[in-house]
Amino acid sequence: IVEQLLTGGRAAQTPVAIIAQGTRPGQQTITGSLADIVERAASIQPPAVIVVGEVVRLRSTLRWFDRPEQRPLLGLRVLNPRNLAGRGPDPLSALLLAAGAEPVELATSRLAALDDPGELDAASKQLVDPLARPEWLIFTSANTVHFTLERFIALGYDLRALAGVKLAVIGKATGAALREWRLNADFTAGKATAAGLAAELSAAFDLRNKRLLVPRSSAALPELPILLAQASAHVVTVTAYTLERVE
């Protein structure tokens, strides 16, 4: 192409740019002139776009994609091990992509509904029983919200039946998941950890002898129920979904 342009009368100093994988995390842009672009772009692999002419000198002005201050992770491929929840794109992958990286997701676990939801069904029944319902329903993740409420609805119950139960969430993301069900949390922990939730909730409310229902995954750690029990609360945990390993 360079030979043809030079033979056709283009000056050797004519600016040239070659862009490979345009607007992708692996974008490469090489600039030069007809005199040296062949040597400069030796590492470029097709497909690529070749731009010839004075417009190339405007690259510093028109450059909008491969800007390190906006996409500091450009050119990096990042492995993101995650679980398969089946609820849209992974937030970490979205952040990596926005920063210029190429996220590669690797499924290491899968969230699944319970094969035997009898325990969860019994807890759901208590939620609608004025004599047996807990004072607090505590959600520790967005997944817990969805699996718990999906089962609650599947049993034929109405979300209005939760009006007498206070709702607590471990952080803003869990609170956002709750709002998808048109429910607002009565308490949101500022520090999104089990210790933070237990400390802040017990500081804001008298939990002594209060009944607390905590739906969790099958792989949940015991820290939160233990900390809440130390505040003299009566804590009942129930498995809302399972976490299965993906081979």
Side-chain angles (χ1 to χ4, degrees):
I1 293 173
V2 167
E3 289 176 359
Q4 297 257 4
L5 290 171
L6 292 173
T7 300
R10 287 280 192 163
Q13 291 73 36
T14 301
V16 181
I18 299 184
I19 305 97
Q21 298 189 52
T23 72
R24 294 179 59 83
Q27 175 175 310
Q28 289 179 279
T29 303
I30 305 295
T31 59
S33 66
L34 288 176
D36 61 9
I37 194 62
V38 173
E39 180 180 350
R40 285 173 176 265
S43 63
I44 292 290
Q45 297 294 319
V49 174
I50 303 173
V51 181
V52 180
E54 293 303 314
V55 69
V56 174
R57 301 190 193 279
L58 297 177
R59 169 165 162 74
S60 60
T61 303
L62 300 177
R63 185 176 181 178
W64 63 274
F65 181 78
D66 56 337
R67 297 177 63 177
E69 72 276 12
Q70 292 183 358
R71 295 180 174 85
L73 302 184
L74 269 172
L76 295 182
R77 185 178 295 113
V78 181
L79 183 64
N80 176 19
R82 60 167 297 195
N83 64 55
L84 291 176
R87 300 189 185 278
D90 183 69
L92 177 58
S93 291
L95 290 170
L96 288 168
L97 191 63
E102 178 185 357
V104 179
E105 295 186 354
L106 174 66
T108 58
S109 58
R110 178 186 295 108
L111 307 185
L114 301 171
D115 291 332
D116 180 6
E119 186 182 30
L120 183 58
D121 292 352
S124 298
K125 184 177 181 180
Q126 287 188 341
L127 285 170
V128 299
D129 184 348
L131 298 179
R133 66 166 50 131
E135 278 84 2
W136 284 92
L137 176 56
I138 300 176
F139 292 110
T140 56
S141 70
N143 292 318
T144 306
V145 170
H146 293 306
F147 278 102
T148 301
L149 295 182
E150 282 171 358
R151 186 60 188 171
F152 189 78
I153 295 298
L155 291 171
Y157 298 130
D158 193 306
L159 288 179
R160 290 175 296 179
L162 298 176
V165 181
K166 290 185 174 63
L167 306 175
V169 295
I170 200 167
K172 293 181 179 179
T174 308
L178 194 62
R179 287 193 295 275
E180 292 181 23
W181 291 84
R182 302 300 187 265
L183 295 171
N184 292 319
D186 297 285
F187 179 83
T188 302
K191 190 174 182 180
T193 63
L197 173 58
E200 294 173 30
L201 185 63
S202 59
F205 298 90
D206 182 6
L207 300 181
R208 289 175 297 178
N209 299 317
K210 296 295 191 299
R211 289 170 294 179
L212 281 57
L213 177 61
V214 184
R216 308 188 303 161
S217 82
S218 60
L221 298 174
E223 181 183 14
L224 180 60
I226 290 174
L227 292 173
L228 291 172
Q230 289 174 356
S232 299
H234 177 61
V235 185
V236 175
T237 61
V238 60
T239 301
Y241 63 96
T242 62
L243 190 65
E244 303 172 348
R245 189 172 72 175
V246 175
E247 297 295 339

